[in-house]
Amino acid sequence: MKKEENLIEWLTEVAFNANIYDYGRYPIKGCGIWLPKGFEIRNKVLSIIRELLYKTGHKEVLLPLLIPRDMLEKEAKHIAGFLDQVFWVTKGGDSKLEIELSLRPTSETSMTYYFKNLIISYRDLPLKVFQIVSIFRYETKATHPLIRVREVTTFKEAFTFHSSKEEAEKQMEEAFNIYSEFFKILGIPYIAVERPSWDRFPGAEKSIAFDTILPDGKSLQIGSIHNLGQNFSKVFDAKFMRKDGNYDFLYQTSYGISERVIASLIIHYGDDIGVILLPKIAPIQIIIVPIFFEGMEETILNYSKEIYEILNVAGYKVEIDERKDVTPGEKFYYWERQGVPLRLEIGPKEIKENSIRFVTRNGKKWNVEKEKILKEVKTVLANLEIELKEKVQEEMKSRIADITDIKEIEKVIQNKKFARFNICNKEKCGVYFEKFQGLKFLGYDVLLKKKGKCIICGEETENLGYAGRSY
Amino acid sequence: MKKEENLIEWLTEVAFNANIYDYGRYPIKGCGIWLPKGFEIRNKVLSIIRELLYKTGHKEVLLPLLIPRDMLEKEAKHIAGFLDQVFWVTKGGDSKLEIELSLRPTSETSMTYYFKNLIISYRDLPLKVFQIVSIFRYETKATHPLIRVREVTTFKEAFTFHSSKEEAEKQMEEAFNIYSEFFKILGIPYIAVERPSWDRFPGAEKSIAFDTILPDGKSLQIGSIHNLGQNFSKVFDAKFMRKDGNYDFLYQTSYGISERVIASLIIHYGDDIGVILLPKIAPIQIIIVPIFFEGMEETILNYSKEIYEILNVAGYKVEIDERKDVTPGEKFYYWERQGVPLRLEIGPKEIKENSIRFVTRNGKKWNVEKEKILKEVKTVLANLEIELKEKVQEEMKSRIADITDIKEIEKVIQNKKFARFNICNKEKCGVYFEKFQGLKFLGYDVLLKKKGKCIICGEETENLGYAGRSY
């Protein structure tokens, strides 16, 4: 199946074929199923973000899924941003509930409501917590596997509480560094933008987002960081005692990532055959395929097992495909679709030569002497990780087109790219892009600056902005 | 606070004081919060059950929280058992949903609905999966922290699919062994009973339950295993091709445990001061408390840090309480309430003697030469684990009273015990206990048999049954 032609169909098919995620066989729109291999990959990815968060002093907690309507409605801008997307529990058994309960769309309200109890003074600050949970959005438009779902099953949401504006701003930087590191470890290419003032997270004073540009030229938000100021603490009366003995409202930030990260891994690294898994996160890193030949079955299997032992003892995640009723060709195709990064083939030729045939998931093939196997496997997997990551970075770069004239934008979109340009901070310039049907203005690049003229009003600026189609 | 006097109040207070679980500060009845240390303990406990399940070929998956009403209603007995406990989502945003969605009360229906797609023939069997998720019960009666909640946040539910009745029965045994081992590792004492035919899990043909008897004499079900026969596969038309080419309906089992296991740990091991954590699951195993003495602060702190290094390098989870504005007595009390199994004190005496004072959470105190510390710590923690477990086992045994005359039962209950007796299999004998207000007949001991006369009808039997108050 061609990845470039219909990305979502491709994603649906390859994720299921690789035993990762099933989307379509459950009778509620926007609800998918994590299959065993997908669950393992999800665990690996979560362990990376968990480690980064633990290391920086974040504590993991778990708050209730249900948020009462009155709690959710306290922060007016926040609820306004979510109200039409909330699932409401209205009945318990046959009884109508006195207060409707929402399935959390995000947890700023419950976190503020709860943690204000535990914060008495500046001594209790900063407080940094996170949880990994399901959140719910009643999406009325098209839903897509892992990308736009009604049950987001893998939402890592962090919440921090501070004694000053400056401390909250510093926390924004820490969060930025954590996410940058996380995406770097996974090799997911991104642009980091400050969202424009008219398109922030509901209730936030500042929103930074990480977006990745997919092969169809559309952007996908894969992480976001918000400075909530005192917006939530004021409505929840969440105060702390300052060092000087006076009371102030808490300063807060929140930041989140979701299973869109796993969608990005599948999409960026995959090809027309299927998934390609980074050695770092592959549940099976090496598959050994014995090429059975009449009369030599036992010799070949024993040799395969010997190789298996060597690699298994060295700590690699390795398996042998011993099936006798399946042809080698079928096995190759099967393991390619599973995304296994390295295949080792052992047939009569290898037995004779005392070698192993190496085949990488990105198409390289060669034979290696048996005594060199451990060294070679180590090198191959390390190089593969680098090659795959570099390819993905380059590909995303090629999807961004710099333009200096607004007239060029339609062509950029037609070519399945995303436009980058100089733009000033004025709202009327940013919202200009909404007049193009379906275009979104992402905001201002946080890391990249360049002098030039605003593409709309011509004013001098250093800002680089992005516009294009978006998921 | 006296544990024996009001167990639930005690549990609520000590769990919060130990930074484990907060019950009462969230405005929805039956919804609690996992605090950082509780989340760590929960992870440890889950990693134990996960390992046991992985080792026996169970794969972890994740299915949607929402189950449509028509799916839940397919198995009549099942839904009848849950209908008055279901939370219903009826609205998305302002729109009324066409089909009401339940928050899963348990996942037999969605698991059967889904996995029948992946099972074609006997070759795909057995299939064994599990998930660890929140489930929801609209409890109308009193709710209790970790024991009877509306959001069960830590539900490990396993589902298995088989090609024959015999295989499903063998699976029941495997599940039994897994849970026995799990409770043994945690040192949770239990009785294992077959639930009577009139009190099985809705939709099951056989139910085995693990119950623990708490200090107030009430039983708490902490695990259950069900043979579902073909009840679910028939209504979901879940068929497979047998070896002989004919089709048959799948045979299924399901089994679950919840955060009641953690409630059991807290309750069985704790004392009037607070929680006592097994060294195996304690987030902090050893707390070092420097006893600061004027003029010797630095010496004492350096010595403490030296001890810290030795233990930390050896892999123990150890911390120093360096606070200067808190008295040693307050620190002792604080760490006792945190349930830390071993406290090391270092004051002028220890400096002089080149020793360390050992104080275990169960009250033993002695001094140890510095060079013997590693060996001593190892022995102490291992012994403590054994001592704590033995105490708990003995205590539970003392809460079971054998009776031969039904007249004795009221006295047994008054003495905060649980009654054991010979009883035949007849329903009219088992239901007899319902005539005593609030009494529950648990069922027939699976492991323990003894010849005698049925306490109700006098018939000869080998069955031992249990009745008493129950959570």
Side-chain angles (χ1 to χ4, degrees):
Chain A
M1 181 166 216
K2 295 266 180 234
K3 173 167 144 183
E4 309 287 330
E5 280 171 16
N6 189 331
L7 192 65
I8 295 299
E9 242 179 74
W10 175 89
L11 172 63
T12 311
E13 198 175 305
V14 303
F16 180 68
N17 286 342
N19 199 19
I20 291 174
Y21 189 79
D22 188 351
Y23 193 75
R25 282 168 199 79
Y26 195 78
I28 302 178
K29 178 180 162 162
C31 290
I33 286 158
W34 285 98
L35 296 168
K37 209 172 73 189
F39 199 86
E40 274 190 65
I41 292 169
R42 178 179 180 268
N43 265 359
K44 287 263 174 61
V45 169
L46 289 178
S47 73
I48 294 169
I49 189 73
R50 274 194 165 109
E51 200 186 317
L52 291 167
L53 290 165
Y54 292 156
K55 243 173 38 186
T56 45
H58 296 74
K59 304 276 187 189
E60 194 160 358
V61 297
L62 187 57
L63 266 71
L65 168 75
L66 299 170
I67 300 179
R69 187 186 267 272
D70 49 350
M71 190 191 289
L72 197 65
E73 283 181 343
K74 272 218 160 174
E75 218 287 323
K77 269 189 204 156
H78 188 64
I79 186 67
F82 285 107
L83 207 49
D84 60 346
Q85 288 183 30
V86 172
F87 278 104
W88 292 106
V89 178
T90 62
K91 289 193 300 181
D94 273 340
S95 323
K96 203 169 167 295
L97 299 180
E98 274 178 45
I99 290 178
E100 292 186 352
L101 305 173
S102 67
L103 306 188
R104 63 182 154 226
T106 174
S107 306
E108 278 73 11
T109 52
S110 54
M111 286 281 173
T112 310
Y113 177 93
Y114 180 69
F115 281 100
K116 70 171 181 178
N117 297 318
L118 303 194
I119 299 165
I120 310 295
S121 82
Y122 69 95
R123 282 193 202 92
D124 305 314
L125 298 169
L127 181 73
K128 307 195 275 188
V129 296
F130 74 100
Q131 62 180 4
I132 299 174
V133 293
S134 281
I135 57 162
F136 291 81
R137 306 272 166 97
Y138 181 65
E139 300 283 355
T140 49
K141 292 174 206 157
T143 56
H144 306 307
L146 300 168
I147 282 180
R148 187 166 298 279
V149 286
R150 286 184 166 181
E151 178 177 13
V152 180
T153 54
T154 315
F155 197 54
K156 190 287 298 167
E157 39 176 6
F159 303 88
T160 70
F161 302 86
H162 306 275
S163 56
S164 71
K165 199 172 174 236
E166 294 70 37
E167 218 187 71
E169 276 163 9
K170 267 184 71 181
Q171 190 60 38
M172 295 283 286
E173 281 173 38
E174 182 178 278
F176 190 87
N177 293 336
I178 290 169
Y179 285 1
S180 302
E181 179 65 17
F182 176 60
F183 294 130
K184 196 178 142 200
I185 291 170
L186 295 173
I188 297 175
Y190 62 84
I191 50 175
V193 295
E194 180 173 345
R195 288 272 187 256
S197 57
W198 58 94
D199 188 24
R200 281 185 198 129
F201 179 74
E205 290 182 357
K206 183 176 177 177
S207 289
I208 304 280
F210 292 79
D211 289 82
T212 193
I213 314 291
L214 300 181
D216 58 1
K218 288 191 190 175
S219 71
L220 179 70
Q221 180 179 307
I222 50 173
S224 59
I225 306 174
H226 313 290
N227 193 334
L228 306 175
Q230 297 177 309
N231 293 336
F232 288 86
S233 62
K234 279 181 179 163
V235 298
F236 283 98
D237 196 33
K239 288 179 181 164
F240 71 102
M241 196 184 75
R242 292 198 315 227
K243 231 174 187 162
D244 63 14
N246 292 318
Y247 285 84
D248 195 0
F249 292 104
L250 291 162
Y251 296 83
Q252 291 175 251
T253 81
S254 71
Y255 32 104
I257 54 152
S258 75
E259 60 250 48
R260 284 182 167 193
V261 170
I262 294 165
S264 304
L265 286 173
I266 298 173
I267 291 172
H268 281 304
Y269 290 112
D271 62 13
D272 291 349
I273 297 169
V275 173
I276 301 180
L277 295 172
L278 282 183
K280 194 195 310 288
I281 63 154
I284 300 175
Q285 298 171 305
I286 306 163
I287 184 72
I288 300 173
V289 180
I291 320 279
F292 292 120
F293 199 80
E294 225 186 294
M296 289 186 70
E297 284 92 345
E298 217 187 310
T299 316
I300 290 173
L301 189 59
N302 286 342
Y303 191 89
S304 302
K305 285 183 178 167
E306 214 183 312
I307 301 299
Y308 170 89
E309 275 306 319
I310 294 168
L311 295 171
N312 188 42
V313 167
Y316 292 103
K317 275 161 250 147
V318 56
E319 282 192 16
I320 308 181
D321 186 346
E322 294 189 26
R323 288 177 293 172
K324 295 238 162 96
D325 54 346
V326 181
T327 67
E330 285 175 284
K331 288 184 185 178
F332 298 164
Y333 183 58
Y334 175 78
W335 293 108
E336 281 167 7
R337 295 204 301 176
Q338 297 301 309
V340 174
L342 177 61
R343 181 172 79 229
L344 301 181
E345 300 173 12
I346 290 163
K349 182 171 177 272
E350 283 69 32
I351 298 287
K352 201 179 142 200
E353 285 179 355
N354 211 29
S355 75
I356 303 109
R357 186 155 186 79
F358 275 58
V359 184
T360 63
R361 180 60 179 80
N362 61 350
K364 291 174 190 158
K365 301 174 184 195
W366 69 104
N367 275 54
V368 176
E369 291 169 52
K370 189 178 151 192
E371 46 273 26
K372 292 191 182 155
I373 183 161
L374 266 185
K375 203 177 154 215
E376 188 78 355
V377 162
K378 195 179 169 189
T379 312
V380 169
L381 292 184
N383 286 346
L384 195 57
E385 186 113 7
I386 294 167
E387 282 168 34
L388 291 172
K389 283 183 180 174
E390 277 175 0
K391 182 163 174 273
V392 157
Q393 298 289 334
E394 286 310 310
E395 280 176 355
M396 194 188 102
K397 266 187 207 155
S398 75
R399 289 176 202 131
I400 297 171
D402 287 296
I403 60 171
T404 51
D405 187 330
I406 190 67
K407 283 179 204 148
E408 298 172 76
I409 197 157
E410 285 190 64
K411 201 170 170 197
V412 167
I413 303 299
Q414 270 171 18
N415 290 338
K416 293 193 173 183
K417 296 196 176 186
F418 216 87
R420 176 167 55 195
F421 41 78
N422 276 109
I423 185 157
C424 72
N425 275 321
K426 293 195 295 292
E427 177 162 353
K428 69 166 189 182
C429 291
V431 298
Y432 183 88
F433 294 89
E434 288 172 16
K435 76 169 215 165
F436 299 94
Q437 212 197 337
L439 281 208
K440 185 179 171 71
F441 173 61
L442 286 190
Y444 315 99
D445 201 305
V446 174
L447 301 167
L448 209 61
K449 301 284 167 192
K450 195 184 149 203
K451 281 191 182 161
K453 289 194 161 84
C454 172
I455 198 167
I456 307 298
C457 71
E459 192 180 292
E460 286 289 337
T461 175
E462 289 202 316
N463 286 339
L464 282 171
Y466 297 86
R469 295 200 191 280
S470 207
Y471 274 104
Chain B
M1 182 165 210
K2 295 266 180 234
K3 174 167 140 183
E4 310 286 330
E5 281 173 14
N6 188 331
L7 192 65
I8 295 300
E9 242 179 74
W10 175 90
L11 172 64
T12 310
E13 198 175 306
V14 303
F16 180 68
N17 286 342
N19 200 20
I20 292 175
Y21 189 80
D22 188 352
Y23 194 75
R25 284 168 198 78
Y26 195 78
I28 303 177
K29 178 180 163 162
C31 289
I33 286 159
W34 285 97
L35 296 167
K37 209 171 73 188
F39 199 87
E40 274 189 65
I41 292 169
R42 178 178 180 269
N43 265 359
K44 287 265 175 62
V45 169
L46 289 178
S47 73
I48 294 169
I49 189 72
R50 273 192 166 109
E51 202 187 314
L52 291 168
L53 289 165
Y54 292 156
K55 243 176 33 189
T56 45
H58 296 74
K59 304 276 186 189
E60 194 160 0
V61 297
L62 187 57
L63 265 71
L65 168 75
L66 299 170
I67 300 178
R69 187 187 266 272
D70 48 352
M71 192 191 287
L72 197 65
E73 284 181 344
K74 271 218 159 176
E75 219 286 323
K77 270 190 204 156
H78 189 63
I79 186 67
F82 286 107
L83 207 51
D84 59 346
Q85 288 184 31
V86 173
F87 278 104
W88 293 106
V89 178
T90 63
K91 290 193 300 182
D94 273 340
S95 321
K96 202 168 168 295
L97 300 180
E98 273 178 45
I99 290 179
E100 291 185 352
L101 305 173
S102 66
L103 306 188
R104 62 179 155 228
T106 174
S107 306
E108 277 73 11
T109 52
S110 55
M111 286 281 172
T112 309
Y113 178 93
Y114 179 69
F115 281 100
K116 70 172 180 176
N117 297 316
L118 303 194
I119 298 165
I120 311 296
S121 81
Y122 69 95
R123 281 192 203 90
D124 304 314
L125 297 170
L127 182 74
K128 307 194 275 186
V129 296
F130 74 100
Q131 60 180 5
I132 300 174
V133 293
S134 281
I135 58 162
F136 291 81
R137 307 271 167 99
Y138 181 65
E139 300 283 355
T140 48
K141 294 175 206 159
T143 57
H144 307 308
L146 300 168
I147 282 181
R148 187 167 297 280
V149 286
R150 285 183 168 182
E151 179 179 14
V152 179
T153 55
T154 314
F155 197 54
K156 190 288 297 166
E157 39 176 7
F159 303 88
T160 70
F161 302 85
H162 305 275
S163 56
S164 71
K165 199 172 172 233
E166 293 69 37
E167 219 187 71
E169 277 163 9
K170 267 183 73 180
Q171 190 58 39
M172 294 284 285
E173 281 173 38
E174 182 178 278
F176 190 86
N177 292 336
I178 290 169
Y179 285 1
S180 302
E181 180 66 16
F182 176 60
F183 294 129
K184 196 179 143 197
I185 291 169
L186 295 173
I188 297 176
Y190 62 83
I191 50 175
V193 295
E194 180 172 344
R195 288 271 187 258
S197 58
W198 59 95
D199 189 26
R200 283 186 196 127
F201 180 73
E205 290 183 354
K206 182 176 180 176
S207 289
I208 303 281
F210 292 79
D211 288 81
T212 193
I213 314 292
L214 300 180
D216 58 2
K218 287 191 190 176
S219 71
L220 179 70
Q221 181 179 308
I222 50 173
S224 58
I225 307 173
H226 312 291
N227 193 335
L228 306 175
Q230 297 178 310
N231 293 336
F232 287 86
S233 63
K234 280 182 179 163
V235 298
F236 283 98
D237 196 33
K239 287 178 183 167
F240 72 102
M241 196 185 74
R242 292 197 315 227
K243 231 174 189 164
D244 63 12
N246 293 318
Y247 285 83
D248 195 1
F249 292 103
L250 291 163
Y251 296 83
Q252 292 175 251
T253 81
S254 71
Y255 33 104
I257 55 152
S258 75
E259 60 251 49
R260 283 183 166 192
V261 170
I262 295 166
S264 304
L265 286 174
I266 298 173
I267 292 172
H268 280 304
Y269 289 112
D271 63 13
D272 291 349
I273 296 167
V275 172
I276 300 180
L277 294 172
L278 281 184
K280 194 194 311 288
I281 62 153
I284 301 174
Q285 299 171 304
I286 307 162
I287 184 71
I288 301 173
V289 180
I291 319 280
F292 293 119
F293 200 80
E294 228 186 294
M296 289 187 71
E297 284 91 345
E298 219 186 309
T299 317
I300 288 172
L301 189 59
N302 287 342
Y303 191 89
S304 301
K305 283 183 179 167
E306 215 183 310
I307 300 299
Y308 170 89
E309 276 306 320
I310 293 169
L311 296 171
N312 188 42
V313 167
Y316 291 103
K317 277 160 250 145
V318 57
E319 281 192 16
I320 308 181
D321 186 346
E322 295 189 25
R323 289 177 293 171
K324 296 239 161 93
D325 54 346
V326 181
T327 65
E330 285 175 285
K331 288 183 186 178
F332 298 164
Y333 184 56
Y334 176 79
W335 292 109
E336 280 167 8
R337 294 205 301 175
Q338 297 301 307
V340 174
L342 177 61
R343 181 172 81 227
L344 301 182
E345 300 174 10
I346 291 163
K349 180 168 179 275
E350 283 69 32
I351 299 285
K352 201 178 144 202
E353 287 180 355
N354 212 30
S355 75
I356 304 108
R357 186 155 186 77
F358 275 57
V359 184
T360 63
R361 180 59 179 82
N362 62 351
K364 292 175 190 158
K365 302 174 185 196
W366 69 105
N367 274 52
V368 176
E369 291 169 50
K370 190 177 152 193
E371 46 274 24
K372 292 191 182 155
I373 183 162
L374 266 184
K375 204 179 153 214
E376 187 79 355
V377 162
K378 195 179 167 190
T379 312
V380 169
L381 291 183
N383 286 346
L384 194 57
E385 186 112 7
I386 295 167
E387 282 168 33
L388 291 172
K389 284 184 181 174
E390 277 176 0
K391 181 162 175 272
V392 157
Q393 297 289 337
E394 287 308 310
E395 280 176 355
M396 194 188 104
K397 265 187 208 157
S398 76
R399 288 176 202 130
I400 297 172
D402 287 296
I403 59 171
T404 50
D405 187 330
I406 190 69
K407 282 180 204 146
E408 299 173 74
I409 197 156
E410 284 190 66
K411 198 164 174 202
V412 167
I413 304 299
Q414 270 171 18
N415 290 338
K416 292 192 173 183
K417 297 197 177 187
F418 216 86
R420 177 166 56 195
F421 40 78
N422 275 109
I423 185 158
C424 71
N425 274 321
K426 293 194 295 291
E427 177 161 353
K428 70 166 190 185
C429 292
V431 296
Y432 184 87
F433 296 89
E434 287 171 17
K435 76 169 216 168
F436 299 92
Q437 212 195 344
L439 280 208
K440 187 179 168 69
F441 173 61
L442 286 189
Y444 314 99
D445 201 305
V446 175
L447 300 168
L448 210 61
K449 302 284 168 191
K450 196 184 147 202
K451 280 192 182 162
K453 289 195 159 84
C454 173
I455 197 168
I456 306 299
C457 72
E459 193 181 292
E460 286 291 336
T461 176
E462 290 202 315
N463 285 339
L464 282 172
Y466 297 85
R469 295 199 192 279
S470 206
Y471 275 104

